[in-house]
Amino acid sequence: LLAITFTYSQNLALSKTATASNNKQAASNAVDGNMGTRWETDSEDPQWIAIDLGASYTIDHVILNWEGAYGKAYDIQISNDATFATFTTAYTTTTGDGGTDDLTVSGTGRYIRMYGTERGTPWGYSLYEFQVYAAIPVNTDARLSNLTVSGTTVSGFSASTLTYNVQLAYGAATAPTVVGTPTQAAPATAVTTNANSLPGASTVLVTAQDGATTKTYTVNFTVAGPPVTLPLDFSNPSHIFTYDQSGGT
């Protein structure tokens, strides 16, 4: 089995449509990516701000950047209903203390909102930014789907086989180009270090999407000896002969 880890997506709420129960300052200020603007409400409970993410996501991470007027008790709620009629609570607290709330949540939907039931100050609710993230699985598969020498798949290639032996024609002076194709898409990589001389070895270092798991494939290159020409010259020490006593002629 392949191991799976997780990283976070881009901020799904950035520049999306935001609506709110009350807009002393615009709800869109909480999704504009600007920490110098803010959404603000009147000084009463409850209040909410909702974001249309544009598509359904499995959400597991929310960051609330509060201004001085923060929520002490609030829920993070998620829904697929455009009328906001069926929100499900993915996170709840009654002990918020302002600043930056970095929250682990759990839910799937297109719409997400902060529903505040108790203010932490005499003023309203005020958010610089409401950030939303979905978890993206990152594979630790560091295998190759293909390994080529001069553009041709190396003989006997298998993703699970890490070492190959290739004999080059007599007279070859430099190692041919070796290219590996990772099984997984970017950010997985395959970096080739070509042999500096012959005989020699070229290697392909494969790094999986997690940026840490690696495998190294090796292609060992040798060069064939000089061809034998007729008539045979038995005095040439570079020619090696064997005698077969099996009965052949």
Side-chain angles (χ1 to χ4, degrees), residues 67-232:
E67 193 255 351
Y70 63 91
K72 178 181 179 182
Y74 62 86
D75 296 336
I76 300 298
Q77 302 173 330
I78 299 172
S79 174
N80 267 317
D81 192 325
T83 65
F84 309 134
T86 56
F87 275 103
T88 299
T89 298
Y91 174 88
T92 188
T93 185
T94 58
T95 58
D97 58 0
T100 298
D101 287 343
D102 192 333
L103 312 175
T104 298
V105 304
S106 179
T108 299
R110 172 172 172 170
Y111 302 90
I112 185 167
R113 74 177 177 180
M114 186 287 298
Y115 187 85
T117 56
E118 183 181 353
R119 290 163 290 132
T121 71
W123 298 281
Y125 294 83
S126 183
L127 280 172
Y128 288 120
E129 287 294 306
F130 185 164
Q131 302 174 54
V132 181
Y133 299 90
I136 298 176
V138 176
N139 211 301
T140 58
D141 184 359
R143 298 175 300 166
L144 289 177
S145 63
N146 196 20
L147 179 65
T148 65
V149 174
S150 297
T152 301
T153 299
V154 66
S155 178
F157 172 74
S158 169
S160 59
T161 301
L162 300 182
T163 303
Y164 300 87
N165 298 311
V166 175
Q167 187 178 70
L168 305 176
Y170 174 69
T174 58
T177 301
V178 175
V179 175
T181 304
T183 298
Q184 298 298 310
T189 59
V191 178
T192 299
T193 301
N194 283 307
N196 292 322
S197 59
L198 294 174
S202 294
T203 60
V204 179
L205 175 64
V206 188
T207 303
Q209 289 179 338
D210 67 347
T213 306
T214 63
K215 286 185 184 297
T216 300
Y217 290 74
T218 301
V219 182
N220 296 309
F221 291 108
T222 57
V223 178
V228 176
T229 58
L230 296 176
L232 297 178

Side-chain angles (χ1 to χ4, degrees), residues 19-29 37-44 47-49 67 69 119 121-127:
T19 55
S21 56
N22 183 265
N23 288 293
K24 193 171 181 179
Q25 295 197 54
S28 59
N29 289 341
T37 62
R38 61 190 174 96
W39 166 66
E40 181 187 7
T41 75
D42 290 332
S43 303
E44 57 186 32
Q47 301 285 356
W48 55 263
I49 179 172
E67 193 255 351
R119 290 163 290 132
T121 71
W123 298 281
Y125 294 83
S126 183
L127 280 172

